[in-house]
């Protein structure tokens, strides 16, 4: 049903730590790699070696320069994929029911067999998380690696989204954000995880952790020279350090 | 937003088709005209073709037109689905109306009223489909749906008017009706244009969630294009858009007003006048296409914030 | 039945069968060498992910590694050996069979070997089989061999090896788990790509830590730094001087560490004008001496229970001697290094320098950490704990790619020594097989070039005095790249960037064959590209022959260099061949263990290509090189490289792979084990010999560690490795410049040697600055590596090029304002040499006098099988076109190379430029210069990439609904 489930049993999603994301695109490419042969396969590339290549990606990295009061500008790398919103507008606008939110875990998916490719859902998503595959004529999107996270054919510790397991800095976490006792919920509350575009009322499940801007862990701003004399001679310096280290 | 040709064409032509019924209804109710069979057949054919072409062309931009029938299922939530459904439902009173009206069976007025109601509902759904998208602040505006409806009625009525003119039917109130509709439409449009200048409360700060009064875009995910940038990020230069707005007003509003008001003073061959009146309709139709083009090209999707677009 | 009101629900099968088989091997989308799992389905690659057990990447995978499928899929792959027809550079080739290719190569090479072996210049690029290629060169008998280190980061390697017996680069690492304060100098990606990212994530998610990045540009790692110091390029040495100055003035020095682990107490002759001036005072047994404050006499430095003095003036055999530390501090306390003076030259505020110095001291001395690990030092003394000063440093090409990089790097090492943070918990750590005794052996060989005769030693090494140089009796260079000559005496990795110029010029002599492997020398690894290309095709006016007569090149893809070869040997891809990442070479070790790895073929090549190593071994046998043939002249390794990997022994019991030797139970040394490769494959294609915890720190003076390092053959003696805060080797060269010793620089080079060779490093202005009108060329121009692209290898990758297929010159708001520039303006970037036309963009996070761009995005039309109209060719650029390869002429008409005067490291980042807006009529929306389109008959247009479609879907019945939580940085699996 394109109607959103009243409540989902789980709220599976990602938590992305902007404090440690170095913008390396690993998550984006690994996502593409898993998914091009996965649930939504293939993620076509058009004119891959041509003069204006383009293709289907579920996860992308943007970079901003943010002026802050504390320390001048800050470069912020900002990865973004589907946020698996609780009030997903992409789902409710879909005329065919191809776009749906799973009741069991809240994952938002597109049924490629019924999607008519009207693109309306991509207009409705404020985050740009929907990817129209021109070649296939259907809408695609981040599946939260639904064919990986439960996959019985993979060892247990590999059953995490591709973008999460590949991220070299560990900026991405995955889990059930409805489970109050989970580590991921703790992480979110500890770091005051937030929603993107809250005013769009999509209630995204994915959370972001802000870059830490100020870190004052030091007592002093300056070293005290052993001598007050600005023009202390080298010999005096030797004498004083020798005295001090006795 | 990307101005997709088929969507622009579809919304304008089917809107016009639906608008014809409103115009006709007004005439049937308030003007005393004895319609010839040619008139009936022609109007029926044109309105039918407009609506059908519109609907068919709307499937052109689909990735899978052969699955379009699936679009009816989500009427509970989706305006697009509702639109599809109402469009189809409209056909029932519409076809019956054609039939009753052409062979002059009583009750056609009732059917026309029904057709008109469904026509408005259909345009309403179309309008709502856009107006309900919070992601595009200039669409998410209370005036969008009324404008869709007014546009349909305006051009539809102009069609009816030019046809009546062609058939030499005398009109009194209908001209006033058109004045009012056009002026209403114009005023709404102007208010709309002013109201969309308001800043959206979705900003780059809320988009990435970091507080700062100076956030600049450094690099995007691709140095080239992607689906989002081609579909959602399109721009038109200010001068061009102003020019197009004026053109639209001249074509869709001023020309018809002028012609309806002035034709009696114009010295011309009656046949040429008739043809000119049809041209007036066509020009206003073209004006509407321009308006719809602007509706897309000028509106910015909030996703542009992630690509350094300024609002 | 069609029911339009039905909502058809999708049944998601959540357990598709991922692969028929998972083959583990080692990534080679860059030189980091992570462990990967290649999931194969229907004989195709379904997915590549990181190997969780692997010591390097522990399961993570970067963007390049994740794009391996598309590298394998690249249409630019070479398919058959090529023989040039027509003129060089035109790209007209004839496909030939391997037999013919090898016959031609053998003929060319044997002609050289019969006449004068050094007329073969064999230079390899980014490969990781230098222990094979170097050995091959030495068996061939040519001294003209080197890999890419000379244009890469030899400054880091050499500065470290001559100072602390190990180095940054990929040979050392930060103690990520314990460090509390990291200073990262000039590093964008580094070879330790994934480990650094994992480490930074770890550091930043621990409380009470701080990460400071010193970098003119704030992107990548610098973006997540807690503090960014936007330094002016080339001035890091000054900053470090200033920090050292502050620490010394405040007596924030680890005296104990200096005393126990460095040569700061060693006595130095203060005997100006004499041949021993500045050298260490040694006894008859060559043991360095100290002055003991308790016993009040001069004693051996290794003597126990002494209290060596750091300062003072003593007499030894009537000659005045002084502890080296006094000389060092005297130099380093120079008031020129006061923060207030340094600030304006480095663009770092005085208060910031002072604060950083203070934070370093506070962390080192007040946040000392103590690990409960018992260990025994080299003197047998037992310690209950390991004490650490948790300040770590790491530095890379932002330091090394300047002509003052060697000394800047030495200054950083001195700073580390002063606060006692080398190889201690929380500090910088050596990776096996380092540390080595300073200066490590061997010395470069190659004095003579005798027909059909091999060398005993290897072409590259570490000279420790002028006697070790490779110069002839007239002090002229012996090597074609002039490595180990007076021009760049400590050029431990050669000077690949000078080969083409010198060979073309015939300076010091002409060569017959240039044999290159895996180096894009006609493009992104060249300086002054235009002339380099011209030199490759230049002909002798009289004979009409090419000045570089024969060029053999091995590449795997149609790069810019391929068309310049006469004979192209097509290589396999990294997923198709055996490779060996050996402890004899550049291993994958960490500080916690010695590790090596292999690559196994996971796919069969469908092209007529051969792994280069196989080819090299085959050529070795065909040429009859010793070591490559048996006594009966049959090939010693008939099965190619894999045969060599298992069966070759460099020294008895020591082969390319250290794991599972002997009966499969010995590490490091042991007889050849025919089953060795299977063991590697079983273990995921690597072997990691973990050190016991008591061996993990203080390796230079850790008895248990030194014993095993000696057993494994990593170090020659079971003696403490003394850190060289004062460099006697440098002083030896300096003395030679003053006319002492048997080998002296030619007169015209004396001043140069004297200027740059100092026992105590002192910052100097990068050389280019002194040679140009610095008013005009006032901006520093540098490049950075994009994290998702590996040099030129990324652009033919369908996925990676979608991320970046063009670049801009990034400029500061200051420069933009001054030059009235806006985003996307077309501008000229002019150096004293040449100019390019590119588009600019304005950014905030950049030093105000620095402009920069991403490295190696620009491509030449026709290369890499891309559409010749690709953005890579029309909008993207490389700045190599304007980087001079030679410095301006000296009075006598000679040009030095644009390199560090000590090591020969290419000075890429010394570049100074001027920028200005293009005139309206100059704008054609394309970059300048545009080179002729390279011919490449194999290019086809591929409209759509449907990769993934071919992989059939099948599912296992079991459906699970259980998921696993994964908290990024905790890696809680
Ligand atoms: N402006 C500027 N220039 C620079 C630098 C900079 O920072 N700025 N950095 C310098 C540094 S540090 C370096 S190391 C150099 C790197 O420069 P190069 O060593 O030239 O680097 P690559 O582009 O990696 O090219 C190596 C060649 O290897 C080929 N290749 C790839 N895989 C294989 C394989 O499996 N087998 C074979 N046989 N060939 C293969 C590629 O096709 C390519 O032609 O660039 C230098 N140039
Ligand atoms: N993704 C990726 N990884 C790679 C490579 C690649 O091509 N792509 N190449 C590999 C190779 S061959 C090498 S050599 C390594 C090099 O690895 P890095 O050393 O990380 O190489 P660069 O990108 O040259 O980065 C140098 C950094 O120094 C800064 N810098 C320049 N001048 C100065 C200066 O004077 N002072 C300071 N403090 N900073 C300065 C630059 O802004 C840049 O951030 O990377 C290896 N890893
Ligand atoms: S992020 Fe976009 S696509 Fe994903 S659930 Fe929310 S609205 Fe839908
Ligand atoms: S594109 Fe497909 S999923 Fe999206 S709204 Fe249309 S039918 Fe639904
Ligand atoms: S969860 Fe899976 S599909 Fe979604 S962005 Fe991550 S890797 Fe891509
Ligand atoms: S992989 Fe991790 S660090 Fe890299 S861009 Fe993605 S989230 Fe950021
Ligand atoms: S850092 Fe990336 S490209 Fe390099 S070896 Fe590791 S996974 Fe491969
Ligand atoms: Mo390098």
């Amino acid at each position: 049903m394109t109607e959103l489930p009243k409540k989902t049993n789980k709220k599976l999603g990602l938590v992305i730590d902007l404090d440690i994301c170095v913008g390396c695109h690993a998550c984006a490419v690994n996502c593409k790699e898993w998914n091009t042969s996965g649930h939504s396969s293939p993620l076509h590339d058009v004119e891959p070696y041509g003069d204006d290549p383009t293709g289907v990606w579920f996860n992308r990295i943007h970079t901003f320069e943010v002026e802050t009061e504390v320390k001048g500008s800050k470069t912020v790398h900002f990865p973004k994929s589907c946020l698996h919103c609780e009030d997903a507008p992409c789902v409710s606008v879909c005329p065919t029911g191809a776009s749906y939110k799973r009741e069991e875990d809240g994952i938002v998916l597109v049924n490629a067999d019924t999607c008519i490719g009207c693109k309306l859902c991509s207009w409705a998503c404020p985050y740009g998380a929907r990817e129209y595959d021109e070649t296939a004529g259907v809408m695609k999107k981040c599946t939260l690696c639904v064919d990986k996270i439960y996959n019985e054919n993979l060892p247990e510790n590999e059953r995490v989204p591709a973008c999460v397991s590949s991220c070299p800095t560990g900026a991405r976490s995955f889990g059930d954000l409805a489970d109050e006792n989970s580590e991921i919920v703790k992480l979110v509350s500890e770091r005051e995880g937030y929603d993107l575009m809250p005013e769009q009322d999509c209630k995204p499940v994915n959370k972001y952790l802000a870059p830490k801007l100020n870190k004052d862990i030091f007592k002093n701003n300056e070293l005290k020279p052993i001598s007050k004399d600005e023009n202390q001679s080298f010999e005096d310096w030797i004498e004083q350090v020798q005295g001090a280290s006795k | 937003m990307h101005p997709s040709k088929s969507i622009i064409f579809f919304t304008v032509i089917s809107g016009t088709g639906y608008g014809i019924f409103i115009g006709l209804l007004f005439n049937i109710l308030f003007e005393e005209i004895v319609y010839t069979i040619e008139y009936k057949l022609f109007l029926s054919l044109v309105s039918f073709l407009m609506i059908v072409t519109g609907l068919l062309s709307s499937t052109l931009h689909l990735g899978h037109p052969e699955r379009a029938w699936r679009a009816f299922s989500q009427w509970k939530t989706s305006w697009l689905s509702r639109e599809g459904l109402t469009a189809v439902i409209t056909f029932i009173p519409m076809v019956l109306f054609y039939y009753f009206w052409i062979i002059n069976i009583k009750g056609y007025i009732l059917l026309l009223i029904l057709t008109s109601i469904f026509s408005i509902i259909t345009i309403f759904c179309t309008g709502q489909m856009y107006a309900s998208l919070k992601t595009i602040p200039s669409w998410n505006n209370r005036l969008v749906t009324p404008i869709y409806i007014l546009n349909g009625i305006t051009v539809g009525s102009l069609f009816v008017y030019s046809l009546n003119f062609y058939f030499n039917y005398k009109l009194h109130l209908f001209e006033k009706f058109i004045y009012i509709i056009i002026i209403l439409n114009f005023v709404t449009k102007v208010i709309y244009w002013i109201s969309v200048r308001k800043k959206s409360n979705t900003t780059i700060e809320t988009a990435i969630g970091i507080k700062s009064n100076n956030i600049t875009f450094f690099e995007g995910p691709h140095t080239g294009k992607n689906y989002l940038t081609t579909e959602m990020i399109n721009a038109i230069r200010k001068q061009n858009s102003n020019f197009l707005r004026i053109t639209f007003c001249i074509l869709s509003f001023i020309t018809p007003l002028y012609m309806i008001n002035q034709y009696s003073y114009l010295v011309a061959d009656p046949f040429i006048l008739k043809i000119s009146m049809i041209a007036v309709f066509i020009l206003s139709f073209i004006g509407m296409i321009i308006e719809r083009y602007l509706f897309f090209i000028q509106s910015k999707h909030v996703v542009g914030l992630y690509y350094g677009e300024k609002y | 039945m069609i029911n339009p009101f039905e909502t058809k629900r999708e049944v998601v099968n959540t357990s598709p069968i991922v692969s028929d088989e998972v083959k583990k091997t080692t990534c080679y989308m860059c030189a980091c060498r992570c462990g990967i799992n290649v999931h194969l389905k229907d004989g195709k690659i379904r997915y590549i992910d990181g190997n969780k057990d692997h010591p390097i990447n522990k399961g993570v995978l970067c963007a390049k590694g994740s794009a391996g499928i598309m590298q394998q899929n690249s249409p630019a792959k070479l398919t058959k050996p090529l023989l040039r027809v027509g003129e060089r550079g035109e790209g007209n080739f004839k496909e030939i069979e391997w037999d013919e290719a090898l016959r031609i190569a053998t003929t060319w090479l044997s002609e050289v070997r019969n006449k004068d072996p050094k007329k073969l210049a064999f230079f390899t690029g980014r490969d990781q089989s230098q222990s094979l290629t170097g050995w091959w060169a030495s068996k061939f008998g040519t001294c003209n061999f080197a890999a890419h280190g000379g244009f890469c980061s030899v400054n880091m390697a050499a500065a470290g090896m001559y100072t602390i017996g190990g180095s940054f680069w990929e040979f050392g690492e930060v103690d990520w788990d314990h460090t509390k304060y990291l200073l990262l100098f000039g590093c964008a990606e580094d070879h330790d790509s994934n480990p650094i990212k994992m480490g930074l994530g770890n550091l930043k998610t621990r409380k009470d830590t701080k990460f400071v990045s010193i970098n003119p540009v704030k992107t990548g790692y610098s973006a997540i730094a807690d503090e960014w110091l936007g330094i002016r390029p080339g001035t890091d040495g000054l900053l470090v001087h200033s920090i050292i100055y502050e620490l010394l003035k405040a007596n924030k020095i680890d005296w104990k560490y200096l005393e126990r682990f460095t040569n700061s107490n060693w006595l130095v002759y203060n005997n100006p004008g004499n041949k021993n001036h500045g050298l260490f005072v040694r006894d008859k047994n060559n043991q360095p001496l100290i002055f003991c404050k308790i016993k009040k006499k001069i004693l051996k430095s290794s003597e126990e229970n002494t209290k060596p003095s750091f300062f003072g003036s003593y007499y030894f055999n009537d000659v005045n001697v002084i502890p080296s530390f006094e000389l060092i501090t005297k130099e380093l306390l120079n008031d020129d290094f006061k923060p207030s003076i340094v600030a304006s030259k480095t663009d770092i505020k005085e208060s910031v320098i002072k604060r950083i110095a203070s934070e370093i001291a506070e962390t080192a001395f007040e946040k000392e950490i103590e690990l409960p690990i018992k260990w025994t030092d080299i003197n047998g003394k037992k310690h209950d704990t390991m004490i650490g000063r948790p300040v770590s440093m790491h530095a890379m090409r932002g330091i090394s790619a300047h002509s003052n990089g060697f000394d800047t790097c030495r200054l950083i090492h001195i700073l580390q020594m002063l606060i006692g943070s080398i190889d201690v918990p929380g500090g910088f750590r050596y990776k096996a097989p380092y540390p080595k005794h300073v200066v490590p052996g061997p010395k470069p060989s190659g004095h003579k070039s005798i027909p059909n005769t091999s060398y005993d030693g290897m072409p590259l090494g570490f000279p420790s005095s002028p006697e070790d140089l490779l110069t002839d009796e007239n002090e002229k260079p012996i090597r074609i790249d002039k490595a180990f000559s007076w021009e760049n005496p400590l050029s431990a990795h050669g000077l690949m960037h000078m080969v083409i110029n010198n060979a073309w010029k015939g300076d010091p002599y002409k060569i017959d064959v240039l044999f290159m492997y895996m180096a894009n020398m006609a493009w992104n690894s060249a300086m002054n590209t235009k002339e380099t290309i011209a030199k490759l095709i230049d002909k002798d006016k009289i004979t009409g022959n090419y000045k570089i007569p024969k060029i053999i090149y091995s590449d795997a893809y149609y790069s810019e260099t391929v068309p310049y070869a006469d004979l192209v040997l097509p290589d396999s891809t990294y997923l198709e061949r055996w490779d060996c990442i050996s402890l004899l070479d550049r291993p994958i070790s960490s500080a916690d263990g010695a590790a090596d790895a292999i690559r196994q073929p996971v796919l069969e090549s469908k092209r007529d290509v051969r792994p280069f190593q196989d080819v090299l071994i085959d050529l070795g046998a065909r040429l009859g090189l010793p070591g490559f043939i048996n006594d009966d002249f049959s090939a010693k390794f008939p099965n190619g490289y894999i045969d060599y990997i298992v069966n070759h022994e460099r020294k008895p019991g020591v082969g390319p792979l250290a794991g599972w030797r002997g009966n499969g139970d010995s590490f490091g040394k042991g007889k050849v084990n025919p089953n060795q490769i299977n063991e590697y494959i079983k273990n995921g294609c690597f072997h990691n010999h973990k050190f016991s915890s008591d061996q993990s720190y203080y390796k230079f003076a850790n008895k248990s560690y030194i014993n095993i390092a000696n057993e494994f053959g990593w170090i020659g003696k079971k003696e403490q490795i003394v850190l060289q805060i004062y460099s006697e080797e440098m002083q030896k060269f300096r003395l030679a410049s003053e006319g002492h010793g048997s080998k002296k620089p030619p007169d015209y080079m004396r001043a140069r040697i004297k200027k740059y060779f100092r026992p105590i490093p002192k910052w100097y202005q990068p050389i280019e600055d002194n040679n140009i009108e610095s008013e005009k060329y006032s901006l520093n121009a540098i490049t950075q590596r994009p994290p998702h692209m590996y040099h030129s290898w990324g652009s033919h990758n369908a996925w990676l090029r979608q991320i970046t297929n063009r670049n801009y010159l990034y400029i500061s708001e200051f420069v933009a304002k001054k030059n009235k520039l806006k985003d996307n303006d077309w501008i000229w970037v002019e150096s004293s040499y040449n100019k390019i036309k590119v588009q600019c963009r304005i950014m905030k996070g950049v030093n105000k006098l620095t402009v920069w761009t991403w490295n190696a995005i620009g491509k030449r039309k026709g290369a890499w099988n891309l559409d010749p109209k690709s953005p890579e060719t029309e909008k993207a650029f490389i700045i190599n076109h304007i980087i001079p390869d030679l410095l301006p002429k000296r009075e006598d008409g000679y040009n030095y190379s644009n390199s560090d005067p000590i090591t020969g490291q290419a000075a890429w980042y010394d570049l100074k430029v001027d920028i200005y807006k293009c005139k309206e009529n100059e704008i054609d929306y394309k970059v300048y210069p545009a080179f002729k389109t390279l011919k490449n008959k194999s290019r086809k247009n591929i409209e759509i990439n449907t990769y993934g479609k071919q992989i059939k879907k099948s599912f296992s019945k079991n459906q699970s609904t259980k998921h696993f939580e994964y908290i990024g940085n905790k890696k809680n699996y």
Side-chain angles (χ1 to χ4, degrees), chain B residues 44-265:
Chain B
S44 304
L45 189 71
V46 169
S47 59
F48 184 79
L49 282 182
M50 279 184 169
I51 290 169
V52 170
T53 343
L55 291 183
L56 285 181
S57 88
S58 78
T59 62
L60 281 184
H61 86 284
L62 297 182
H64 281 280
E66 81 286 1
R67 297 180 187 162
W69 58 272
R70 291 194 182 276
F72 300 121
S73 64
Q74 306 305 312
W75 53 274
K76 282 197 224 154
T77 49
S78 164
W79 284 108
L80 176 53
S81 191
R82 289 171 192 160
E83 182 205 33
L85 204 62
T86 48
V88 170
I89 295 174
T90 312
F91 277 100
I92 303 168
M94 182 172 101
V95 172
L96 286 176
F97 161 72
Y98 289 151
Y99 182 74
F100 278 47
W101 188 43
I102 290 168
I103 58 170
N104 234 330
I105 304 178
K106 273 230 163 63
Y108 69 81
I109 295 191
L110 193 67
L111 285 168
L112 181 57
I113 292 174
L114 271 178
T115 310
S116 303
I117 291 174
F118 274 103
S119 294
I120 290 187
I121 295 178
T122 307
I123 312 181
F124 178 81
C125 292
T126 313
Q128 277 305 98
M129 192 172 90
Y130 298 102
S132 64
L133 293 174
K134 261 196 198 155
T135 49
I136 302 153
S138 61
W139 291 0
N140 190 222
N141 184 303
R142 252 177 259 168
L143 294 177
V144 162
T145 309
I147 287 174
Y148 262 76
I149 297 173
L150 283 172
N151 281 354
I153 299 178
T154 308
V155 213
S157 302
L158 281 173
F159 174 77
V160 176
Y161 182 83
S162 62
L163 198 62
N164 287 0
F165 196 83
Y166 191 87
F167 281 84
N168 290 324
Y169 298 150
K170 288 259 159 329
L171 302 169
H172 307 287
L173 284 172
F174 192 42
E175 285 181 357
K176 306 237 157 49
F177 173 76
I178 290 181
Y179 292 158
I180 291 169
I181 284 288
I182 287 183
I183 290 165
L184 195 62
N185 197 340
F186 178 72
V187 172
T188 325
K189 209 71 228 193
V190 172
I191 299 175
Y192 171 75
W193 283 335
I194 294 167
S195 73
V196 295
R197 289 213 300 228
K198 194 183 83 200
K199 273 212 157 38
S200 150
N201 58 348
T202 295
T203 62
I204 182 63
E205 279 181 81
T206 68
I208 64 172
I210 298 173
K211 297 229 161 25
S212 159
N213 50 17
N214 186 350
I215 299 178
T216 47
F217 176 72
F218 174 56
E219 278 191 324
H222 311 277
T223 50
K225 64 182 179 192
N226 67 22
Y227 165 65
L228 300 162
T229 59
T230 26
E231 179 73 9
M232 323 277 184
I233 302 173
N234 285 279
I236 179 167
R237 282 209 301 204
K238 194 91 194 140
Q239 302 103 284
N240 295 352
S241 69
N242 287 342
F243 171 74
L244 289 177
R245 276 184 180 179
I246 292 168
T247 315
F248 154 66
C249 289
I250 293 175
L251 294 180
S252 297
F253 300 149
I254 301 184
T255 319
L257 282 181
Y258 177 81
M259 278 300 279
I260 296 173
N261 202 6
Q262 299 289 314
Y263 70 87
S264 50
Y265 307 105

Side-chain angles (χ1 to χ4, degrees), chain A residues 14 27-28 30-32 34-35 58-59 80-82 84 141-146 161-164 172:
Chain A
L14 306 175
C27 50
N30 207 277
C31 165
K32 175 126 175 133
W34 172 264
N35 286 290
F58 293 168
N59 183 15
K80 181 168 56 62
S81 49
C82 172
H84 298 279
K141 65 177 289 299
C142 156
T143 63
L144 207 64
C145 289
V146 68
C163 58
V164 172
R172 306 176 77 93

Side-chain angles (χ1 to χ4, degrees), chain C residues 58 215 233 545 779 883 888 893 919:
Chain C
K58 303 189 172 75
N215 199 313
N545 295 332
L779 302 175
I883 302 180
K919 293 200 195 78

Side-chain angles (χ1 to χ4, degrees), chain A residues 10-177:
Chain A
K10 283 189 271 188
K11 289 200 257 174
L12 293 188
L14 306 175
V15 171
I16 294 165
D17 186 351
L18 300 182
D19 191 47
I20 55 177
C21 170
V22 293
C24 68
H25 297 269
C27 50
V29 183
N30 207 277
C31 165
K32 175 126 175 133
E33 194 208 4
W34 172 264
N35 286 290
T36 198
S37 317
H39 177 262
S40 312
S41 94
L43 308 193
H44 289 105
D45 301 301
V46 181
E47 292 291 346
Y49 308 100
D51 61 1
D52 199 5
T54 181
V56 177
W57 296 73
F58 293 168
N59 183 15
R60 294 196 167 101
I61 321 303
H62 303 242
T63 310
F64 300 92
E65 290 195 304
V66 178
E67 200 79 63
T68 61
E69 285 159 28
V70 199
K71 277 173 192 148
S73 81
K74 168 106 192 142
T75 306
V76 177
H77 296 292
F78 183 84
K80 181 168 56 62
S81 49
C82 172
L83 306 142
H84 298 279
C85 307
E86 286 184 65
D87 284 347
C90 59
V91 170
S92 43
V93 298
C94 175
T96 62
S99 193
Y100 65 104
K101 186 168 175 73
R102 282 158 56 100
E103 224 160 301
E104 54 268 55
D105 50 17
I107 297 179
V108 174
L109 290 178
V110 177
N111 181 349
D113 295 334
T114 58
C115 170
I116 58 174
C118 69
K119 303 185 185 167
L120 191 56
C121 53
S122 66
W123 295 1
C125 167
Y127 308 106
R130 299 208 145 223
E131 280 288 293
Y132 185 65
D133 188 333
E134 197 74 54
T135 317
V138 295
M139 196 54 71
K140 297 182 176 176
K141 65 177 289 299
C142 156
T143 63
L144 207 64
C145 289
V146 68
D147 49 353
K148 191 165 185 266
I149 56 176
Y150 299 122
N151 197 325
E152 294 268 321
N153 304 306
L154 291 171
E156 295 195 350
N157 61 9
E158 285 175 26
R159 294 182 205 161
V160 286
C163 58
V164 172
S165 57
S166 56
C167 173
T169 61
R172 306 176 77 93
S173 302
F174 164 73
D176 180 3
L177 286 129

Side-chain angles (χ1 to χ4, degrees), chain C residues 514-530:
Chain C
L514 175 58
F515 187 5
M516 293 186 298
Y517 162 46
M518 211 191 262
N520 203 4
M521 287 305 291
W523 197 247
N524 55 301
S525 48
M527 291 171 147
N528 189 7
T529 340
K530 192 167 143 215

Side-chain angles (χ1 to χ4, degrees), chain C residues 468-480:
Chain C
D468 299 331
L469 293 181
L470 283 186
T471 51
D472 66 11
E473 47 298 336
N474 302 318
E475 297 306 327
K476 291 268 178 291
I478 285 176
R479 285 175 55 115
I480 188 73

Side-chain angles (χ1 to χ4, degrees), chain C residues 58-91:
Chain C
K58 303 189 172 75
V60 308
L61 201 68
C62 82
K64 294 158 279 147
S66 302
I69 298 180
M70 284 302 128
Q71 207 78 353
Q72 186 60 33
N73 235 18
S74 161
K77 291 193 301 277
L78 296 174
T79 52
K80 214 168 167 60
L82 301 172
L83 184 67
R84 176 171 61 80
V85 292
E87 293 298 319
R88 195 183 277 168
E90 284 180 348

Side-chain angles (χ1 to χ4, degrees), chain C residues 399-445:
Chain C
I399 303 305
S400 64
H402 288 288
S403 55
N404 59 9
F406 179 82
D407 267 359
T408 302
C409 186
R410 276 210 297 157
L411 279 166
I412 298 173
H413 289 315
I414 289 177
L415 170 59
Q416 291 177 296
M417 287 185 248
L418 290 174
I419 57 167
S421 77
I422 292 178
D423 222 54
V424 299
F428 161 87
R429 303 176 76 190
Y430 300 100
K431 293 188 196 175
Y434 301 96
K436 303 210 176 199
H437 290 98
V438 181
V439 169
K443 307 298 161 216
S445 33

